[in-house]
């Protein structure tokens, strides 16, 4: 089916922000049959997914500092967060790498979650049903970008051109104004993520890249499944016979195919996967397989 191939192509050749959107949307789709209470019209997430405000619960389920950020309380909660993630992620990758985006996103989740838990522990905010949503991580990405390139021009529908720092300041101001309303814990998580994004960028400008923590963790986890290069030596028998002339033609064809792939990848980097024609998408999908 062509739309399935399109989705595969979007995931494989898209940026890290697209992969994060795929993960969030996938988690939402899975959560509907398992955690949505159709009688009451709300999600009821278990304690091993959502982030509890209890420090004791966090001690027994520390992974919830990450898992909570891939689940959302409603379709519109997901939609708004993914729109902002797509916007902020593309801006971030204008200056930084995909690995850095993943690192800032995941570390932003952790810091936002810690801010949420500490707020309930220290400020006596009362009862909480828990926290879900990627907002804290997205704020970290947005603020990190705005800290690095505050004067970057952004064109908004119905508003026109604004500076990135102005847009970011408005979003932060909305969180501050709603800080002591019905979702105090959530707004504190947003602001905690924003603070992390600012600190991350300042440390990066001084030569310290905190996102390498995530890269190190992933590399360490993947190491047992990797190949041992020391044991990968194979004896190769050389063939001194003359290569037939037709082999040269095959090499040329391979070079042309690789050149076509490179041209398509360049087009993706300039205009995105959506700019490809149907023929280019099919060619790239077959080449990838």
């Amino acid at each position: 089916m062509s739309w399935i191939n399109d989705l595969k192509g979007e995931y494989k050749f898209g940026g890290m922000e697209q992969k994060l959107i795929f993960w969030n949307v996938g988690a939402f789709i899975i959560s509907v049959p398992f955690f949505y209470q159709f009688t009451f019209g709300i999600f009821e997430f278990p304690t091993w997914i959502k982030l509890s405000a209890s420090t004791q619960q966090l001690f027994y389920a520390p992974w919830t500092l990450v898992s909570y950020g891939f689940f959302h309380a409603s379709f519109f909660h997901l939609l708004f967060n993914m729109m902002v993630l797509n916007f902020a992620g593309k801006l971030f990758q204008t200056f930084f790498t995909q690995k850095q985006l993943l690192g800032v996103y995941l570390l932003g989740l952790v810091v936002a979650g810690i801010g949420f838990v500490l707020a309930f522990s220290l400020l006596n905010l009362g009862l909480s049903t828990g926290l879900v949503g990627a907002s804290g991580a997205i704020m970290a990405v947005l603020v990190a970008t705005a800290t690095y390139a505050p004067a970057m021009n952004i064109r908004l529908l119905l508003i026109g051109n604004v500076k990135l720092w102005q847009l970011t300041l408005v979003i932060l101001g909305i969180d501050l104004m709603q800080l002591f309303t019905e979702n105090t814990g959530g707004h504190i998580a947003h602001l905690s993520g924003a603070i992390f994004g600012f600190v991350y960028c300042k440390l990066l400008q001084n030569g310290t890249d905190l996102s390498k923590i995530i890269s190190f963790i992933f590399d360490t986890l993947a190491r047992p499944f990797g190949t041992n290069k020391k044991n990968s030596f194979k004896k190769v028998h050389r063939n001194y016979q003359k290569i037939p002339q037709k082999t040269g033609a095959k090499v040329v064809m391979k070079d042309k195919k690789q050149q076509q792939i490179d041209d398509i990848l360049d087009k993706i980097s300039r205009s995105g996967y959506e700019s490809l024609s149907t023929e280019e998408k099919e060619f790239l999908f077959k080449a990838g397989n």
Side-chain angles (χ1 to χ4, degrees):
M1 298 175 70
S2 61
W3 66 272
I4 294 179
N5 291 339
D6 285 346
L7 287 176
K8 289 180 179 179
E10 287 275 4
Y11 183 83
K12 186 173 183 179
F13 299 106
M16 180 55 67
E17 85 285 349
Q18 286 182 292
K19 290 180 174 60
L20 289 169
I21 290 172
F22 269 89
W23 299 347
N24 278 276
V25 172
F28 182 82
I29 293 173
I30 293 172
S31 68
V32 171
F34 290 101
F35 308 126
Y36 189 71
Q37 303 297 316
F38 290 91
T39 304
F40 304 103
I42 60 172
F43 280 95
E44 187 61 43
F45 292 104
T47 54
W48 51 269
I49 286 181
K50 67 182 179 182
L51 180 62
S52 172
S54 168
T55 53
Q56 183 178 6
Q57 181 62 37
L58 179 60
F59 177 79
Y60 289 109
W63 60 85
T64 56
L65 279 173
V66 174
S67 64
Y68 83 93
F70 291 92
F71 293 86
H72 290 79
S74 70
F75 171 76
F76 289 104
H77 185 204
L78 171 74
L79 178 63
F80 179 77
N81 274 351
M82 295 305 99
M83 289 173 61
V84 181
L85 173 58
N86 184 61
F87 168 77
K90 288 183 183 299
L91 292 182
F92 184 92
Q93 289 178 109
T94 304
F95 308 103
F96 307 109
T97 67
Q98 296 191 42
K99 284 187 175 181
Q100 286 174 314
L101 174 57
L102 179 61
V104 172
Y105 183 91
L106 294 178
L107 289 174
L109 279 181
V110 173
V111 173
I114 292 174
F116 170 79
V117 174
L118 289 179
F120 275 88
S121 300
L122 302 177
L123 301 179
N124 193 24
L125 298 178
L127 297 176
S128 170
T129 57
L131 181 68
V132 291
S135 304
I138 296 170
M139 287 299 296
V141 174
L142 179 62
V143 171
T145 311
T147 304
Y148 185 82
M152 185 178 188
N153 281 318
I154 305 296
R155 186 169 182 81
L156 299 179
L157 184 66
L158 302 179
I159 297 177
N161 289 332
V162 298
K163 301 295 185 183
L164 181 56
W165 73 265
Q166 295 171 325
L167 174 63
T168 306
L169 189 62
V170 169
I171 296 175
L172 290 173
I174 293 173
D175 271 315
L176 286 171
M177 287 187 294
Q178 297 179 338
L179 189 58
F180 295 103
T181 58
E182 60 183 15
N183 187 26
T184 300
H187 293 299
I188 289 177
H190 297 175
L191 295 171
S192 299
I195 292 171
F196 170 75
F198 176 80
V199 172
Y200 168 81
C201 187
K202 289 301 182 182
L203 288 176
L204 183 64
Q205 290 173 329
N206 290 325
T208 302
D209 187 357
L210 292 178
S211 69
K212 289 184 177 180
I213 297 173
I214 299 300
S215 299
F216 173 78
I217 293 173
F218 274 93
D219 291 343
T220 301
L221 292 175
R223 195 170 298 152
F225 305 98
T227 56
N228 190 340
K229 293 183 179 180
K230 292 182 179 180
N231 297 326
S232 62
F233 174 78
K234 293 182 180 180
K235 188 175 181 180
V236 177
H237 295 278
R238 294 185 178 181
N239 188 349
Y240 293 97
Q241 296 179 356
K242 289 186 176 181
I243 300 175
Q245 188 67 29
K246 63 179 181 179
T247 305
K250 289 184 180 179
V251 173
V252 172
M253 290 298 293
K254 183 178 180 181
D255 289 344
K256 287 184 178 179
K257 181 178 179 181
Q258 185 60 51
Q259 183 61 48
Q260 190 173 354
I261 293 173
D262 293 340
D263 292 341
I264 293 175
L265 293 177
D266 288 340
K267 186 175 180 180
I268 292 174
S269 66
R270 292 194 307 269
S271 308
Y273 182 79
E274 300 85 353
S275 65
L276 299 183
S277 65
T278 303
E279 292 75 14
E280 288 172 330
K281 290 179 180 179
E282 290 179 357
F283 175 82
L284 194 60
F285 182 75
K286 291 178 181 178
N289 291 333

